Amino acid sequence: MRGITRDCISEMFSRKIFWVFAVITVLAVVVIILSGNISISDGSFQEAEVDIKDINEMIGNPIIRVFASFVSFLVILVVLATAGLIPNMFIRGRAEYFLSKPVSRTGLLLNKFFGIWFSYGVLVVVCGAIGYCAMYLVHGVAADNLIWVFVLNLVSLFIWLSVTSFAGIVFGSTTMAIVTAALIWFTQWLLQWHEYYKEVISSKAITGTIDVLYYIIPKTGELSDLTVQLALGRNVDNWLPLYGSLIFAIVLLGATLAIFNRKNY
């Protein structure tokens, strides 16, 4: 696995992906620095300096919410940047080379999958940590539970990589990998209102189908909300978005391995 992970890291640099994340992180740090003081206009049109800490107390830690969104955005970039790695690995001419190695197909695909997850996951953590340091130095905002932002976003990355890996093996196309991930994201976004649909749809068959889909499809949007709640130190009663999405990802990864082991290259 170490060899494939090293290849993933080398590939990350050769494709200039690292520099894209570096630029985005620098821009985020600049925005954080500029947000140190926010000027707003009062009723007499006089400028008043508002300390971001006061806003933080008034509306419930918006900085941590924005920080969690920043890390989630990094995960989205990773999903888009890596969607083509597995399908491109098994195109004609390359597939023969990798499949000729003295390693099982299951081992090969799992090593590639976790190599991508680990190398790009570290990149997300490093960029997020730099953003957090800037946030702490400028705003003095610290949270004992902020580790949840990193842990659950790595879980989210695992979930989305299982989706793009499945589509990459089934369709052999980068475009289809991205489209599949987008369709699943849109579906889970629609399904988050599954309880509301029961009030406006009378058909038990339709609402039953919606409920089944809700429990099957990964709930990454709700997982993001859960991440924020945990980062803010609040109690969480519903862990379904986490374990339900993880079960989906593990089952999908198993299906991907089964298809890959039977696929003729």
Side-chain angles (χ1 to χ4, degrees):
M1 178 177 174
R2 289 194 298 269
I4 293 182
T5 301
R6 285 196 298 269
D7 289 343
C8 290
I9 295 173
S10 299
E11 191 174 42
M12 181 172 62
F13 280 94
S14 65
R15 296 172 65 225
K16 313 300 181 185
I17 299 299
F18 170 83
W19 299 110
V20 173
F21 280 79
V23 170
I24 291 173
T25 303
V26 169
L27 291 175
V29 170
V30 170
V31 170
I32 291 171
I33 294 173
L34 294 177
S35 67
N37 289 305
I38 300 176
S39 296
I40 63 171
S41 177
D42 59 17
S44 60
F45 300 100
Q46 295 177 342
E47 293 295 320
E49 295 295 326
V50 177
D51 192 332
I52 195 68
K53 294 179 183 178
D54 296 332
I55 298 177
N56 194 42
E57 294 176 359
M58 286 188 294
I59 59 179
N61 256 322
I63 295 178
I64 291 180
R65 294 175 183 274
V66 172
F67 174 71
S69 297
F70 168 64
V71 179
S72 295
F73 176 68
L74 294 177
V75 169
I76 293 172
L77 288 182
V78 169
V79 174
L80 295 176
T82 60
L85 295 185
I86 287 181
N88 289 339
M89 183 178 179
F90 297 111
I91 61 176
R92 181 169 298 178
R94 290 184 183 177
E96 293 84 352
Y97 169 77
F98 288 107
L99 295 176
S100 66
K101 299 297 180 182
V103 61
S104 67
R105 286 195 175 196
T106 296
L108 178 63
L109 186 57
L110 284 179
N111 284 339
K112 183 65 174 179
F113 178 90
F114 284 107
I116 295 171
W117 179 79
F118 176 80
S119 55
Y120 284 87
V122 169
L123 181 61
V124 169
V125 170
V126 169
C127 293
I130 293 173
Y132 170 73
C133 290
M135 181 181 72
Y136 177 77
L137 292 174
V138 174
H139 301 302
V141 175
D144 296 335
N145 297 307
L146 204 66
I147 187 66
W148 284 109
V149 174
F150 294 103
V151 171
L152 292 187
N153 273 286
L154 289 178
V155 171
S156 181
L157 178 59
F158 175 85
I159 294 166
W160 286 116
L161 286 180
S162 72
V163 172
T164 55
S165 298
F166 174 81
I169 291 299
V170 172
F171 301 109
S173 166
T174 300
T175 300
M176 286 304 299
I178 295 174
V179 169
T180 301
L183 288 175
I184 289 181
W185 180 89
F186 183 68
T187 301
Q188 63 90 31
W189 178 74
L190 288 176
L191 291 174
Q192 65 183 325
W193 293 295
H194 66 110
E195 293 294 339
Y196 170 75
Y197 298 144
K198 294 179 181 179
E199 300 177 5
V200 297
I201 300 176
S202 58
S203 173
K204 295 294 184 180
I206 294 177
T207 55
T209 301
I210 291 174
D211 277 341
V212 170
L213 288 175
Y214 172 77
Y215 286 105
I216 292 176
I217 299 296
K219 290 156 277 294
T220 53
E222 294 180 45
L223 182 59
S224 296
D225 296 335
L226 186 149
T227 300
V228 172
Q229 297 303 310
L230 290 172
L232 293 173
R234 298 174 180 173
N235 293 327
V236 174
D237 298 324
N238 182 19
W239 291 88
L240 177 63
L242 175 59
Y243 68 77
S245 299
L246 266 177
I247 291 172
F248 172 89
I250 293 171
V251 171
L252 191 63
L253 185 58
T256 304
L257 291 171
I259 293 171
F260 179 59
N261 282 324
R262 290 167 173 76
K263 191 167 184 177
N264 183 16
Y265 288 94

